[in-house]
Amino acid sequence: MDLKMPIEMLAWASAQIHCQFHASESRVALPAQGNKHDVQAESNTVLVPSRGERGQCVLDTPPKILFCDLRLDPGESKTYSYSEIVPVDGPPSFRGQAVKYVYKLTIGCQRVNSAIKLLKVPFRVLVLQGMPEPPFPQDEEVSPSNPFLEEEEASRRDARPLERALDMLMVTTSRRCPHMFNITNMRGKVAKFCIFKTVYRLGEDIIGTFNFSEGDIPCLQYSVSLQNEEEIQQQYQRRPGQVISVTGHGRHMESCLHTASSHFSLPVPLNVTPGFSTDIVMLRWRLHFEFVTAREPMEPPTVLQNQSEVTVWAGAEHVDVDTFSWDLPIKVLPTNPALASYMSHFTGTNSITI
């Protein structure tokens, strides 16, 4: 008895990008959405990319049809490609304490006389805010197109916005100019701090130096933390004057009593979100300094010039101290997407059963 495998009939498949926004109800007061009842969104035969997602869909691209009325014989396979431009006015991917922006590529497929099945693939979006949009060159508008080079010209046009963004990043983050700060408290000068720039790309090292030799107050210990501040815009705050959410992304701590100079190096992680601003939330970056200083002068250990024996110096058992902190605002910008993707060393494969 010869049993033949049935022919598979797929009605259609499409792909679409959307950004889902979710906010903490205890921190963000969003305007009411009303009681709109969308019958189509509840139907299993209508493509709704954000079906089953929490929050609101704040950005989506028009769906692109991959195929219609596809017939597959037993053992046959078909391959389709999809490309789309992410809208430039969208927010970046962000998972904060109060707000989240998540991008997903949704692929919908439907068998004949069956419900729609969705495959959702999350991906990361980096946004460089403030990049000017240059005017379209006039010679490109009036120049005749070469039909034999259309594909090459199209790929070159698509690469230009990325090239402009990378050029702007390199110019902005390569400028070095020493910034000097006198660190003082109510008792006097503690140290002089120097940092060579305040604008960084993802993956760069933040380097700073301290000069304690010019200080009047002994510094026992200092720490430097890389932090971001997630602030809800005033009109969306659940409570007036609510506390800004602060998240740390690295810390350097060092004991520095009787030290003439010191330095630190803090890397900006590749997986964090650069600074940005939307109507609802603002993300800023800063260096947070904490100092522990002595209230009284402390004499350093004396070592004789011709002394040959080893000298052991014991620190004081009790020291009256003061503590104070200081915040230095910095800017964190995106980096080359190819570099940012290095944090993921594997190629993912996603499948859908229909």
Side-chain angles (χ1 to χ4, degrees):
M1 185 176 179
D2 187 13
L3 297 177
K4 292 185 178 181
M5 296 291 292
I7 297 175
E8 288 291 342
M9 295 294 297
L10 301 181
W12 58 268
S14 69
Q16 186 176 4
I17 291 173
H18 76 280
C19 176
Q20 202 72 11
F21 165 76
H22 179 260
S24 170
E25 295 182 357
S26 61
R27 302 185 183 187
V28 183
L30 297 176
Q33 296 296 313
N35 296 322
K36 296 182 179 179
H37 185 70
D38 193 344
V39 177
Q40 288 188 341
E42 298 178 358
S43 173
N44 290 330
T45 59
V46 177
L47 176 62
V48 182
S50 58
R51 179 186 291 127
E53 300 273 1
R54 297 177 60 191
Q56 307 172 14
C57 180
V58 295
L59 179 149
D60 58 355
T61 60
K64 289 188 177 181
I65 301 298
L66 302 179
F67 62 78
C68 287
D69 298 330
L70 177 63
R71 170 177 170 164
L72 291 176
D73 293 325
E76 185 182 8
S77 64
K78 293 283 186 179
T79 302
Y80 298 89
S81 61
Y82 168 80
S83 64
E84 183 60 273
I85 297 177
V86 179
V88 296
D89 56 349
S93 299
F94 176 60
R95 292 182 177 271
Q97 298 185 33
V99 168
K100 293 180 175 63
Y101 291 101
V102 180
Y103 281 84
K104 292 183 181 181
L105 167 63
T106 301
I107 300 174
C109 188
Q110 184 179 24
R111 294 176 67 180
V112 177
N113 299 324
S114 300
I116 294 176
K117 299 294 184 179
L118 299 180
L119 172 65
K120 299 180 180 181
V121 182
F123 63 96
R124 184 184 181 191
V125 171
L126 297 174
V127 174
L128 178 59
Q129 293 189 339
M131 186 180 76
E133 190 68 28
F136 194 78
Q138 186 176 359
D139 57 347
E140 292 187 8
E141 290 182 346
V142 299
S143 60
S145 60
N146 188 334
F148 300 100
L149 299 177
E150 284 184 358
E151 184 175 348
E152 181 180 350
E153 291 176 355
S155 62
R156 201 177 302 162
R157 269 197 306 272
D158 293 341
R160 283 171 191 158
L162 177 59
E163 292 175 355
R164 291 199 305 268
L166 294 179
D167 289 343
M168 178 181 173
L169 278 175
M170 291 303 297
V171 171
T172 304
T173 59
S174 297
R175 296 171 181 164
R176 293 179 177 270
C177 179
H179 297 74
M180 309 296 294
F181 301 90
N182 288 321
I183 310 298
T184 62
N185 63 4
M186 58 183 179
R187 300 181 187 275
K189 184 176 180 179
V190 177
K192 178 177 286 186
F193 173 66
C194 175
I195 192 170
F196 294 98
K197 62 177 187 174
T198 57
V199 182
Y200 301 88
R201 300 189 306 272
L202 298 181
E204 277 196 292
D205 291 333
I206 302 174
I207 299 175
T209 62
F210 291 96
N211 184 353
F212 296 103
S213 62
E214 300 181 10
D216 304 321
I217 307 300
C219 185
L220 307 181
Q221 180 179 281
Y222 75 88
S223 67
V224 188
S225 301
L226 176 62
Q227 300 176 342
N228 65 27
E229 299 175 304
E230 179 186 353
E231 182 179 8
I232 304 301
Q233 303 287 11
Q234 186 175 2
Q235 63 269 31
Y236 293 106
Q237 292 181 5
R238 177 64 66 180
R239 297 174 300 277
Q242 66 186 32
V243 178
I244 298 174
S245 302
V246 177
T247 303
H249 297 278
R251 187 184 186 210
H252 175 91
M253 184 170 62
E254 190 168 324
S255 297
C256 54
L257 179 61
H258 304 317
T259 300
S261 62
S262 179
H263 73 279
F264 69 88
S265 178
L266 282 175
V268 181
L270 283 171
N271 62 339
V272 300
T273 301
F276 73 97
S277 177
T278 67
D279 294 339
I280 298 177
V281 66
M282 176 183 296
L283 186 72
R284 298 185 298 264
W285 286 85
R286 71 184 188 185
L287 291 176
H288 179 72
F289 298 82
E290 295 181 356
F291 299 92
V292 179
T293 58
R295 295 182 178 178
E296 301 292 338
M298 301 184 66
E299 294 296 329
T302 57
V303 178
L304 300 178
Q305 185 175 2
N306 298 324
Q307 184 174 354
S308 60
E309 299 181 359
V310 177
T311 301
V312 178
W313 178 76
E317 295 183 359
H318 177 77
V319 179
D320 292 329
V321 299
D322 293 317
T323 61
F324 67 97
S325 62
W326 171 53
D327 293 325
L328 175 63
I330 62 172
K331 288 185 178 181
V332 174
L333 302 180
T335 187
N336 191 317
L339 178 61
S341 64
Y342 286 165
M343 56 177 291
S344 178
H345 299 287
F346 61 90
T347 302
T349 301
N350 299 274
S351 61
I352 179 174
T353 301
I354 58 175

